[in-house]
Amino acid sequence: MERPSFHLSNEEIHRFLDQGYLGPFTLCEPDEMAHYRKKVEEMIDLTVERSNTLQNRHLDCRPAYELCTHPALLDRMESILGKNLVLWRSYFFVKYPGSKAVPWHQDINYWPIEPPLNISAWVALDEAIIENSCVQVIPGSHRNMVPHLKSEGTVFREEADPAFYDSSKAIPMELKAGQFFLFSERILHYSAPNSSNKRRLGLAVRVTAPFVKVYQKNDPHNNVLLVRGEDEMKLNTVGTPPLG
Ligand SMILES: O=C(O)CCC(=O)C(=O)O
């Protein structure tokens, strides 16, 4: 039986290009996500909020790989980036009660990719709502690059210069467990300190095209994965998925 297609309509593609984000969409229902969450909790230490051990676990944790390569994500990314897709990074963003803000920022400010092209999916493993600090975005903010300054009191070292954005235009991306949204490498986004008593766990999935060079930091295990189509460019070291 043919699997369902999740490709975007022309209207959705234009909305993504115009607004810099799109969604929410459903990857799976909350009860199926509860299974993924349990497996991820068994395999990954989520007690530390910022750690290399939360990065690129799609390379050695099969449930993380399955989430990162789910057709609900990749079909939609393919509609925008074309048929050849490279998964070059992922990160588990966990926020416990009392955790600090992720400051307003544009991801491309920090990233070692050239040319600067990426679509991220932020996948909710826990429900992510305003109360437990869901991600917020400023629609259309991907159209300008914003300088970044040193950040104090947040979980990042740098943040977007507040003179260059209006946070009153922010939209909270509230997601049920199993939902996700897509966003550009340049959209301004943020999450507030978590003042609720609920954890918020999400997986950020970073996908680009094979003509983008990823400048990895001398890490032989930090390979990219070709997750759709062909890689005629061979700019990056391509790894293999974890066994199921
Ligand atoms: O999960 C968060 O709070 C921030 C996510 C983020 O900055 C990202 O996915 O690029």
Side-chain angles (χ1 to χ4, degrees):
M1 203 174 68
E2 247 180 65
R3 69 160 177 84
S5 160
F6 300 99
H7 288 93
L8 298 174
S9 66
N10 275 348
E11 186 277 324
E12 287 174 311
I13 295 170
H14 282 99
R15 193 143 40 90
F16 177 83
L17 297 175
D18 185 57
Q19 298 289 295
Y21 75 102
L22 202 60
F25 298 109
T26 298
L27 185 153
C28 63
E29 294 305 320
D31 53 350
E32 195 183 341
M33 185 50 90
H35 287 291
Y36 278 113
R37 193 167 58 228
K38 189 161 174 290
K39 288 191 210 155
V40 165
E41 282 165 346
E42 282 163 8
M43 295 178 78
I44 300 179
D45 177 7
L46 298 168
T47 57
V48 275
E49 291 196 6
R50 298 291 297 166
S51 162
N52 286 344
T53 57
L54 299 172
Q55 182 150 302
N56 287 352
R57 299 307 302 265
H58 62 270
L59 292 172
D60 69 351
C61 169
R62 184 74 194 185
Y65 171 80
E66 286 173 12
L67 290 173
C68 288
T69 57
H70 195 285
L73 265 60
L74 294 186
D75 279 3
R76 290 179 169 101
M77 291 175 169
E78 196 181 73
S79 299
I80 300 167
L81 290 174
K83 297 227 166 290
N84 305 320
L85 298 179
V86 165
L87 170 60
W88 68 278
R89 190 176 276 185
S90 66
Y91 196 85
F92 282 99
F93 279 94
V94 58
K95 284 181 95 121
Y96 285 98
S99 73
K100 294 179 190 164
V102 170
W104 284 105
H105 67 282
Q106 291 175 310
D107 287 331
I108 200 61
N109 175 63
Y110 316 94
W111 282 351
I113 58 172
E114 188 55 42
L117 176 72
N118 173 86
I119 297 181
S120 294
W122 198 99
V123 183
L125 279 83
D126 292 328
E127 177 186 53
I129 54 176
I130 293 172
E131 190 192 350
N132 66 346
S133 314
C134 64
V135 177
Q136 303 184 32
V137 298
I138 300 182
S141 58
H142 64 305
R143 289 187 226 127
N144 296 306
M145 287 299 294
V146 167
H148 284 60
L149 312 168
K150 193 168 183 304
S151 181
E152 308 280 355
T154 75
V155 298
F156 284 7
R157 276 187 303 234
E158 290 184 356
E159 65 180 73
D161 182 342
F164 288 81
Y165 63 85
D166 177 358
S167 60
S168 71
K169 303 230 158 69
I171 307 267
M173 297 305 299
E174 293 197 294
L175 303 171
K176 288 190 206 143
Q179 289 190 313
F180 69 96
F181 72 99
L182 300 175
F183 56 110
S184 137
E185 72 288 333
R186 278 164 294 136
I187 193 139
L188 280 160
H189 57 293
Y190 158 89
S191 66
N194 186 356
S195 48
S196 76
N197 58 8
K198 288 190 205 154
R199 185 188 75 174
R200 192 225 65 184
L201 176 63
L203 175 61
V205 183
R206 320 297 192 185
V207 174
T208 188
F211 59 81
V212 173
K213 170 77 182 160
V214 181
Y215 290 92
Q216 306 283 18
K217 281 192 222 131
N218 295 335
D219 178 353
H221 305 297
N222 209 1
N223 299 332
V224 306
L225 294 185
L226 182 68
V227 287
R228 284 275 165 99
E230 308 284 329
D231 175 9
E232 289 181 352
M233 304 296 290
K234 313 242 180 300
L235 295 174
N236 301 303
T237 312
V238 176
T240 45
L243 294 176

